[in-house]
Amino acid sequence: MFKAIQIDKTDGQYAASLVELDEQALPEGDVTVEIDYSSINYKDALAITGRGPIVRQFPMVPGIDFAGKVIASDSADFAVGDRVLLTGWGVGERHWGGLAGKARVKGEWLTKIPDNADAKQVMAIGTAGFTAMLCVQALLDHGVKPENGPVLVTGAGGGVGSCAAIILATLGYQVTASTGRPQEADWMRDQLGVSEIINREELSAPGKPLQKERWAAAVDTVGSHTLSNVCASVRYDGIVAACGMAQGMDLPATVAPFILRGVTLRGIDSVMVNSAKRPAIWEKACQYLTPEVLSKLSEEYPLTDAITVAEKLLDGKIRGRAVIACKA
Ligand code: NDP
């Protein structure tokens, strides 16, 4: 038996609760993992609270990421004892996920934990940090250099935003953080290495199609008017890596920044990234988001607190990353 968060929908009533499950109940898959850590991402919070249509079938164990040790395997790629992690692939949405003591999944969804990292570090990074690394990689691939000017990160107080800010600052970029939490300004400056902080209200209302060129590049976790205003304010030939929708799914923009300033809008998806590309991104993420760095932007909670943490995250009360210890 192991503990898990389970989401049920009976007679239209949606509810998440802590339950005890038998290993027999686990879904099909060729690898079974004993989970040490998972985390609460925005998507997990929407799933657990039911505030967003994330869960596709019931009952569901949420948790879009996890890390632990292989305890049974029919996969040629994984042996008992291997240290593995998983992010995405619809786990925690369509297939039982990581907010549990155990999971059974397809081996092709797993990535080996980098040699010098451990389960806690990779889950302090989690889907959010992996996505942040994908966003920063898009900026690097575009050729953005620190001397080109400041880089904007929106939703900087959240998981993806805080990880992106700290990676960029470590790489020598001057980072501007957009946030709705001015009370976190000292933390952002001192711990994330942010140079400038702007109130997210500066970007959240409808704006002009082209605005003053302020940033060499941007990582946007917010979408909607914020993303439109960010595209309208990025310098000539700049790039915006867009991964989120915390303000909204809409994009009320014009083509002006793209056709008059050559701005690139690069979409970032972490869920279906090709397995072959993942190890290198994880290596890099672990290189920049070390345990010491992560201690400044993550907090550990027991599995029994996962539901409360999910609610707090959507209320903007979780700073950075929430790591969940799943081992009983
Ligand atoms: P968090 O909840 O940790 O962070 C989101 C942040 O967005 C908040 O902390 C807040 O930052 C800001 N925010 C919230 N509401 C609003 C609003 N109405 N207007 C403007 N800003 C707002 O979530 P994550 O960091 O885990 O995820 C961020 C986004 O990225 C989500 O939309 C998520 O779905 C998406 N995502 C996408 C992935 C992909 O593969 N494309 C993978 C992972 C996440 P502050 O308080 O600083 O203002």
Side-chain angles (χ1 to χ4, degrees):
M1 298 292 282
F2 60 91
K3 287 194 172 60
I5 303 296
Q6 182 172 291
I7 301 173
D8 290 291
K9 194 176 183 183
T10 29
D11 302 329
Q13 288 285 357
Y14 190 102
S17 57
L18 184 71
V19 297
E20 290 260 348
L21 294 175
D22 192 288
E23 202 173 311
Q24 308 286 334
L26 286 171
E28 275 186 28
D30 50 358
V31 182
T32 308
V33 179
E34 187 173 66
I35 300 173
D36 291 322
Y37 290 96
S38 181
S39 77
I40 303 286
N41 296 278
Y42 190 80
K43 212 184 232 180
D44 300 314
L46 291 178
I48 290 170
T49 58
R51 288 198 227 170
I54 302 296
V55 177
R56 303 294 168 190
Q57 60 197 54
F58 300 90
M60 177 57 60
V61 173
I64 63 170
D65 50 27
F66 65 76
K69 213 174 269 173
V70 173
I71 54 169
S73 174
D74 290 325
S75 158
D77 298 324
F78 296 95
V80 170
D82 280 352
R83 301 171 328 121
V84 292
L85 68 88
L86 181 149
T87 62
W89 301 114
V91 168
E93 301 176 54
R94 292 185 296 272
H95 186 99
W96 283 12
L99 288 166
K102 290 179 186 173
R104 188 174 294 134
V105 295
K106 288 188 183 175
E108 66 207 61
W109 295 342
L110 294 166
T111 302
K112 290 205 172 127
I113 295 178
D115 280 345
N116 297 323
D118 62 21
K120 183 168 178 187
Q121 182 186 354
V122 294
M123 277 304 104
I125 296 170
T127 294
F130 179 65
T131 306
M133 193 65 240
L134 288 168
C135 290
V136 173
Q137 191 60 51
L139 270 45
L140 297 174
D141 292 346
H142 191 74
V144 181
K145 303 268 185 316
E147 57 270 27
N148 295 143
V151 174
L152 174 71
V153 176
T154 63
V160 179
S162 59
C163 290
I166 212 161
I167 296 170
L168 286 163
T170 307
L171 285 166
Y173 291 88
Q174 203 184 315
V175 179
T176 300
S178 166
T179 182
R181 301 187 229 185
Q183 72 278 15
E184 299 291 6
D186 286 346
W187 172 72
M188 288 185 187
R189 280 202 186 87
D190 300 345
Q191 308 297 341
L192 304 184
V194 160
S195 314
E196 190 197 2
I197 290 160
I198 62 169
N199 193 310
R200 75 186 192 196
E201 283 177 12
E202 263 189 52
L203 298 169
S204 60
K208 290 186 183 153
L210 277 181
Q211 301 168 29
K212 187 171 167 243
E213 293 176 60
R214 296 172 77 179
W215 299 291
V219 171
D220 178 61
T221 71
V222 170
S224 191
H225 290 294
T226 299
L227 178 55
S228 313
N229 287 322
V230 169
C231 291
S233 311
V234 161
R235 292 183 188 169
Y236 193 91
D237 210 17
I239 177 169
V240 181
C243 70
M245 37 128 284
Q247 185 183 4
M249 281 287 259
D250 57 328
L251 180 55
T254 77
V255 296
F258 314 117
I259 63 170
L260 298 176
R261 287 191 184 151
V263 168
T264 297
L265 178 57
R266 173 74 204 276
I268 301 294
D269 168 58
S270 67
V271 178
M272 301 305 289
V273 177
N274 189 295
S275 318
K277 289 189 183 158
R278 293 182 183 233
I281 296 291
W282 273 106
E283 289 280 345
K284 275 196 161 187
C286 290
Q287 181 188 336
Y288 300 123
L289 300 169
T290 60
E292 194 204 340
V293 164
L294 290 163
S295 68
K296 302 169 187 169
L297 59 84
S298 65
E299 192 127 353
E300 180 178 325
Y301 304 87
L303 184 61
T304 44
D305 285 358
I307 295 171
T308 320
V309 171
E311 282 157 4
K312 281 189 182 162
L313 186 130
L314 290 186
D315 293 343
K317 291 183 182 143
I318 297 288
R319 183 166 88 174
R321 298 275 301 132
V323 188
I324 304 293
C326 294
K327 230 174 182 171

